[in-house]
Amino acid sequence: MNYFVTAISTDSGKTLVSAILTQALQADYWKPIQSGLERDADKVKDLINNNHSLIFNESYWFQTPASPHFAAEVENVTIDIDKILIPGNKDNNLVIEGAGGVLVPLNDTHFVIDLAAKFNAEIILVSNNYLGSINHTLLTINEIKRRGLSIKGIIFNGPRNESTEDYILKHSGLKCLLKIDQEKEVDQFVVNKYAIELFNNWEV
């Protein structure tokens, strides 16, 4: 099974969630498009602790820390999603981490969400609690559903707001897969703690 991790905004915690998923499912990990010198693949590799998961290289890696379409333009590259192919052993679960939110552009015609459709991946949405997050979360969900894509559920990351979370779950009809606290430090111990919780609540 392919799982596509996306979020309601940039820096929502997709890499942390991807690491937790990778650890929980003993899955492989892949971020097809990376912008910026720090690789999220390296972060995930440092945060997981199992002998099964493979960490695959990016299809596109830009040094410019910007939206993929702009980073590609700066570096005289055009992102061609037909050339983005799933790597490695297709028998294992694969966690695919997106870039930014669902409508972050890749080129003149494609968005990040088009990768989830291409790989027939079930989507896991990361949501944070801040002023405006209900609107951002429900709009993101509506766009995913409009495209006919499957959503596994929501993971809330950061400071809790039960009222906001309950409202989102009620009006989206989605399941909460996990709630991640605002951790002072994130390491293998923290990731494994949440991985166990996620695995125990996981429904195939």
Side-chain angles (χ1 to χ4, degrees):
M1 187 70 187
N2 298 328
Y3 298 101
F4 192 88
V5 179
T6 191
I8 62 173
S9 65
T10 302
D11 294 329
S12 291
K14 293 186 302 297
T15 302
L16 171 58
V17 167
S18 294
I20 293 169
L21 281 166
T22 301
Q23 179 69 17
L25 303 177
Q26 307 285 283
D28 297 333
Y29 167 87
W30 180 43
K31 183 162 186 172
I33 302 173
Q34 174 75 58
S35 296
L37 294 177
E38 293 188 13
R39 298 178 68 226
D40 291 328
D42 290 335
K43 297 176 186 177
V44 170
K45 184 177 181 179
D46 290 340
L47 289 173
I48 64 173
N49 181 25
N50 70 73
N51 296 320
H52 302 283
S53 298
L54 298 176
I55 308 297
F56 297 118
N57 291 329
E58 305 84 351
S59 297
Y60 292 92
W61 182 11
F62 304 107
Q63 295 187 15
T64 306
S67 173
H69 81 292
F70 182 70
E73 180 181 330
V74 169
E75 299 179 28
N76 296 314
V77 176
T78 299
I79 296 174
D80 183 350
I81 69 168
D82 291 333
K83 295 181 179 179
I84 301 177
L85 305 176
I86 288 182
N89 177 14
K90 298 179 176 60
D91 293 332
N92 195 16
N93 291 317
L94 177 64
V95 175
I96 306 169
E97 181 181 349
V102 296
L103 292 184
V104 166
L106 301 179
N107 50 42
D108 287 342
T109 56
H110 295 107
F111 299 94
V112 165
I113 194 62
D114 290 313
L115 293 175
K118 175 177 179 175
F119 301 129
N120 193 30
E122 194 166 29
I123 293 170
I124 294 170
L125 179 63
V126 183
S127 179
N128 318 97
N129 293 317
Y130 57 81
L131 186 62
S133 66
I134 293 176
N135 181 53
H136 294 164
T137 304
L138 294 181
L139 283 173
T140 298
I141 292 168
N142 285 347
E143 177 62 16
I144 294 170
K145 289 181 176 179
R146 185 185 72 83
R147 291 169 176 260
L149 303 178
S150 174
I151 309 176
K152 178 75 174 179
I154 298 177
I155 292 180
F156 292 104
N157 179 39
R160 300 284 182 87
N161 186 318
E162 296 294 335
S163 175
T164 293
E165 293 165 6
D166 289 347
Y167 194 91
I168 289 170
L169 296 173
K170 175 183 176 181
H171 287 273
S172 68
L174 296 178
K175 178 182 178 180
C176 176
L177 303 174
L178 185 67
K179 294 183 180 182
I180 304 172
D181 292 324
Q182 186 72 43
E183 299 286 348
K184 293 182 179 179
E185 183 176 344
V186 175
D187 54 19
Q188 288 186 358
F189 176 82
V190 169
V191 167
N192 194 58
K193 176 185 70 172
Y194 286 112
I196 292 171
E197 182 180 348
L198 180 63
F199 181 80
N200 289 337
N201 293 327
W202 194 260
E203 295 180 3
V204 178

